[in-house]
Amino acid sequence: MSVASASIQFFTRLLRYRTKCAVPFHAASRILISPYLPQVFGGNKVLLGTCAQPLRSEEKVTVYFINRDGRKITTSSAKGDSLLDLVVEQNLDIEGFGACEGTLACSTCHVILDQKVYNQLGPITDEENDMLDLAFGLTDTSRLGCQVCLSRDLEGITVRVPDRVNDMRRSDDAGPTL
Amino acid sequence: MSTHKAALCKVQILKLFLTSARCGRITRFHGVCGLSTSTPASSAKVCIVGGGPAGFYTAQHLVKTRTDVQVDIYERLPVPFGLVRFGVAPDHPEVKNVINTFTQTAQHARCSFHGNVRVGKDVTVEELQEAYHAVVLSYGAEGNRTMGVPGEDLAGVYSAKDFVGWYNGLPRNSELRPDLSCETAVILGQGNVALDVARILLSPVDILKKTDITQHALDALAESSVRRVLIVGRRGPLQVACTIKELREMVNLPGTRPEMEASEFEGIAETLKSLARPRKRLTELLLKAAIETPGEEELERRNRAERAWGFRFLRKPLEVLPSTDLIRAAGIRLAVNRLEGDGEGVRAVATGEVEDVECGLVISSIGYKSLLIDPAVPFDARKAIIPNTMGRVQQTAGLYCSGWVKRGPTGVIATTMNDSFDTARTLLQDIGKGTLDVSTVKPGSQGVSTLLEKRGVKPVSFSDWEKIDSEETRRGEIKGKPREKMLDVGEMLQVARA
């Protein structure tokens, strides 16, 4: 880890600790941001607190992502609460992932898990199910990445990012629009 | 020995500096700090018309994918972000988080924002095509579909586009002054915009006053007499176009109760098991709110509620009925429909019956509509979109489109995001294949600046917008709001130039 990315991580961690904001940079972007992003840029950045037990810094969890193009990304996190946080902190190249920054206002962090892993996780709230309803390619083992909390039990899991993340709210759909 | 080691160390350090990773980082830092990287003369210059989600997502994909693309975004207003600022409801601030991503894009070294430039008036699309290798039209839908019924021009009748623009601070709607002194409001249309309008009309002011809703809207809503909102659609409960999140917000809206006709839901419960999951969950929630007998606690809550809302189905507007002085709306005449066909082929057919509903506020939420902004751009007036194939504008090389002006005005921000990435990919493919010739040297924003200067137009840069942003945030803080939006373009320009 370079000095640059270490200090970026430190500052964003500091920012989050102080303001309890979602980390304000987009996972798909390679653009490094200034850590001094003002708190209010027109949006609410409060994370819906799902991950009550964040990993302690010495616990690493390895997660394998299968990206939309089928390529496997191996990553591990020493910290971070949810799968979305992991994607963001490790700056994984998953375009368009986590548009609403983990606030249950979109379905772009839709991931597909193995049945066993899916069964391990806690119950799904109405709010998450409401957004999952709109996810493209929904399966019986689908979750929103921002609501899946990393823990030691999830060591070594494989997470598939479905093709063409797309809210169902579009014009060529017979279902709900706008 | 020590000098040998020192030399070795120096070589190692030099090596570190020269590894691609480190070089990459330096380039990126240049990007972050906004230092001018010398953009090679052969870089592709792309112009994007429209500073909303489509424009920004298209720009994002372009600058992220190729290091030799320079993108300039032109926006009519001094302020960026389009419907994220002016369309998303004030009580949905988390949806506006995408602004953070747009901000990064705007601050990228190879991207620049030019506000206060009206394409079609201050500069033509042809002039943009001369200055840039490619022009992407992402200017959205600033018009709306009309009901096309008598009485649509009466006072008290508004398009949802204008009503939403009014409470969200769109300058052209700042003088709307809707009359909220009636008891019943009727909204035509049952999509998410219709539900947003209903929710804003019925939300407790205590909730709204902590949002970025405009002050004049807040004041008007605090004085509002509206107690009942009907959300009217042509077809039945299974065709309702809103999504479950917004419906749940209505069901849970403090101080309100649902009021619907059980007869309009006959036969619906039986269809549940055959429905796909999203429609099934939505219909279940709708049935629960509309016809299920509530538990004791919920019953008490409903009895205490002073405001009511409900869907009405199978109704189509025929006429807005005037008041006795013929100036304002006093009611709406609706044709009663029945449904024919099934599945996706379900159609609403008039029965001949008619129903009058007394109301003083009529809001038509039946769709936004794109407009033609420049005669040089092909436009399909029937579909109200720019004819295109995968984002390439038909019959016009070098012209592309993304967002609502390309697909039609439906879908959410994420839909537009994917669509914009698609157009950007198409454009980059064309560069790669040579179909889009980027070998000539084009003047880009320099060329356009010269034209604008001659015409007395002064663009607003992104850092100028940041001054507006700071001032709005400062004014909001005083009132405990995220921001207090400026309503006047003149004021925005004054602050931008300060």
Side-chain angles (χ1 to χ4, degrees), chain B residues 265-276:
Chain B
F265 294 88
E266 260 168 49
I268 299 297
E270 288 71 32
T271 66
L272 282 176
K273 48 187 181 297
S274 61
L275 298 174

Side-chain angles (χ1 to χ4, degrees), chain B residues 10-31:
Chain B
K10 286 199 185 121
V11 171
Q12 299 293 8
I13 293 169
L14 199 60
K15 261 195 192 163
L16 275 172
F17 264 103
L18 292 177
T19 54
S20 52
R22 187 54 71 96
C23 276
R25 228 164 289 136
I26 288 175
T27 314
R28 287 207 296 278
F29 263 107
H30 272 230

Side-chain angles (χ1 to χ4, degrees), chain B residues 260-268 287 290-291:
Chain B
M260 289 184 256
E261 309 277 334
S263 58
E264 297 192 13
F265 294 88
E266 260 168 49
I268 299 297
L287 284 173
I291 61 180

Side-chain angles (χ1 to χ4, degrees), chain B residues 293-304:
Chain B
T293 323
E296 215 180 289
E297 216 181 289
E298 170 65 8
L299 190 59
E300 247 177 84
R301 191 196 70 82
R302 289 190 190 180
N303 288 335
R304 281 197 312 267

Side-chain angles (χ1 to χ4, degrees), chain A:
Chain A
M1 177 181 300
S2 75
V3 171
S5 48
S7 55
I8 296 288
Q9 281 200 25
F10 168 75
F11 280 118
T12 47
R13 210 183 300 187
L14 187 67
L15 229 160
R16 282 185 55 202
Y17 171 71
R18 274 187 163 180
T19 61
K20 295 202 164 49
C21 295
V23 178
F25 59 90
H26 198 283
S29 171
R30 288 275 161 78
I31 304 166
L32 290 177
I33 57 145
S34 157
Y36 300 105
L37 206 61
Q39 172 152 9
V40 179
F41 243 112
N44 179 340
K45 299 202 288 244
V46 174
L47 252 178
L48 293 182
T50 24
C51 297
Q53 312 241 304
L55 296 169
R56 292 199 305 279
S57 52
E58 62 272 14
E59 301 175 76
K60 260 183 187 276
V61 171
T62 303
V63 174
Y64 303 100
F65 283 90
I66 313 263
N67 207 343
R68 294 194 197 103
D69 55 7
R71 272 193 271 200
K72 193 173 190 180
I73 306 173
T74 306
T75 185
S76 66
S77 177
K79 66 168 183 73
D81 302 331
S82 67
L83 282 178
L84 172 59
D85 291 330
L86 181 52
V87 170
V88 164
E89 278 150 26
Q90 299 300 312
N91 202 18
L92 302 186
D93 187 14
I94 306 177
E95 193 172 44
F97 201 83
C100 76
E101 297 178 5
T103 54
L104 284 178
C106 75
S107 58
T108 61
C109 68
H110 172 210
V111 292
I112 300 173
L113 307 169
D114 296 329
Q115 185 72 59
K116 246 182 54 177
V117 176
Y118 180 82
N119 294 343
Q120 258 179 276
L121 300 174
I124 310 180
T125 59
D126 276 343
E127 285 72 27
E128 183 183 346
N129 268 324
D130 287 352
M131 297 321 294
L132 271 173
D133 276 0
L134 311 177
F136 184 78
L138 188 68
T139 68
D140 291 335
T141 57
S142 286
R143 291 294 303 260
L144 292 183
C146 65
Q147 304 299 301
V148 176
C149 299
L150 289 176
S151 67
R152 305 256 307 273
D153 296 337
L154 298 183
E155 165 62 39
I157 63 168
T158 300
V159 175
R160 190 156 69 81
V161 182
D163 198 25
R164 292 291 259 123
V165 179
N166 206 352
D167 266 22
M168 256 178 69
R169 293 173 278 191
R170 50 201 160 96
S171 56
D172 46 335
D173 202 21
T177 53
L178 202 64

Side-chain angles (χ1 to χ4, degrees), chain B residues 66 99 137 152 242 272 319 325 407 431 464 468 495:
Chain B
R66 275 180 82 117
I99 287 178
L137 301 164
E152 197 158 7
C242 62
L272 282 176
E319 186 183 341
D325 58 8
R407 278 183 1 263
I431 295 181
D464 290 336
I468 299 173
V495 172

